[in-house]
Amino acid sequence: MSAPDREVDLRTEPPSRVQTAAFYEVRDLAPGEAVMLVTAEDPSLMMRSLDLQLRETLAWRSEAAEGGYRTRVQLRSDTDIDGTVDLLVRDHRTLDELFAKALRRVNANDVAGARELVERFAVAIRKHVELENTLLAPVLPRPRGPDGADHVEIMLREHDEILRQLAEVESCFTESAAPEAWEVEPFIAILSGTLAKHEYREESNLFPHWHAALDAMDEARRGELFARARALLAA
Ligand SMILES: [Fe+2]
Ligand SMILES: [Fe+2]
């Protein structure tokens, strides 16, 4: 049996401090753990903003209760995947983690340890790009920014750049059986920055539109797309 949720009553906090107090309660949530936040006000906006601060790693469910709201917060990775966009966002976090680990290994002078992580990352990012390019982009909307920029076109261009930078990282490892950390590090650091910006742009400019379009699809079609997306990433 799992332990009962920790309950934190934030109704006595001054309104200006509620979000900060909530942040400290949720930022170190461990897998399998949940916290119940009790607030006087509707926490929807606060939870959305905490989730963004914590790179969309949270899942929550709120209900109005006597004297306020009760919100159960847990890690998103502890919950079932909620559709295609959730699958993409979770995959972003997995990619980030893999690549951050590779960079840490390089910085610790363990290039051999980094090699295996880079190989796993390369397989995973190529599948992710294939999913976005070939399965989703052709059937989902192409929203435009206020300046007329086509967000799908930007995505496709950035994918080419990511794959080009990845090839550079890979060539460091193939040109030499045991490259030096200083030879590899700049290429990994550049790709890491490119990837973070790309994911941020997708999650803020494109995915909200894709999410709305998926929601508007009939259930059978949405389910089929989700199943194909999962199968592609799992292959
Ligand atoms: Fe992408
Ligand atoms: Fe993506």
Side-chain angles (χ1 to χ4, degrees):
M1 231 181 76
S2 57
D5 297 341
R6 191 158 52 85
E7 184 165 313
V8 181
D9 193 341
L10 299 169
R11 286 173 301 181
T12 52
E13 293 285 341
S16 62
R17 295 233 351 116
V18 172
Q19 181 159 331
T20 311
F23 175 78
Y24 286 112
E25 297 299 335
V26 300
R27 75 168 172 179
D28 296 323
L29 275 173
E33 195 191 349
V35 61
M36 181 71 80
L37 301 178
V38 185
T39 52
E41 303 295 329
D42 180 349
S44 309
L45 280 178
M46 173 183 88
M47 287 310 306
R48 182 77 198 118
S49 131
L50 290 177
D51 189 37
L52 284 175
Q53 263 179 289
L54 295 167
R55 300 221 62 203
E56 304 199 302
T57 50
L58 301 179
W60 64 94
R61 195 178 293 270
S62 292
E63 54 184 52
E66 216 177 307
Y69 292 80
R70 294 172 66 78
T71 305
R72 187 170 190 270
V73 190
Q74 62 187 139
L75 291 178
R76 195 195 266 243
S77 53
D78 279 347
T79 60
D80 290 336
I81 301 173
D82 183 22
T84 302
V85 167
D86 188 28
L87 179 73
L88 291 172
V89 173
R90 288 183 194 219
D91 203 44
H92 284 175
R93 298 297 88 81
T94 306
L95 291 165
D96 294 345
E97 216 170 290
L98 256 181
F99 213 56
K101 272 191 199 157
L103 188 55
R104 279 201 297 273
R105 294 264 49 91
V106 168
N107 286 333
N109 239 329
D110 175 12
V111 178
R115 178 193 292 268
E116 189 250 342
L117 290 159
V118 166
E119 284 167 0
R120 277 168 56 199
F121 171 83
V123 171
I125 186 76
R126 288 195 171 102
K127 282 197 281 195
H128 187 95
V129 165
E130 187 188 343
L131 167 58
E132 289 175 337
N133 286 12
T134 64
L135 190 63
L136 302 178
V139 298
L140 291 174
R142 300 178 74 101
R144 286 184 179 274
D147 56 352
D150 177 332
H151 290 306
V152 167
E153 212 171 277
I154 295 172
M155 174 187 85
L156 296 173
R157 221 171 29 231
E158 289 179 350
H159 285 167
D160 288 344
E161 179 59 17
I162 285 170
L163 295 181
R164 195 188 59 73
Q165 291 183 8
L166 173 64
E168 273 177 345
V169 172
E170 290 177 309
S171 74
C172 296
F173 286 99
T174 48
E175 275 165 19
S176 155
E180 298 289 337
W182 60 261
E183 293 179 287
V184 185
E185 196 274 341
F187 294 105
I188 294 192
I190 290 170
L191 177 50
S192 168
T194 305
L195 183 71
K197 279 189 223 138
H198 170 70
E199 290 173 342
Y200 177 79
R201 268 196 283 272
E202 280 183 346
E203 288 170 27
S204 19
N205 300 335
L206 189 56
F207 289 0
H209 296 274
W210 281 10
H211 198 171
L214 287 158
D215 268 354
M217 263 179 203
D218 69 83
E219 209 179 314
R221 193 156 168 247
R222 181 171 60 236
E224 194 217 302
L225 203 56
F226 179 47
R228 287 174 63 196
R230 279 189 100 158
L232 200 161
L233 289 190

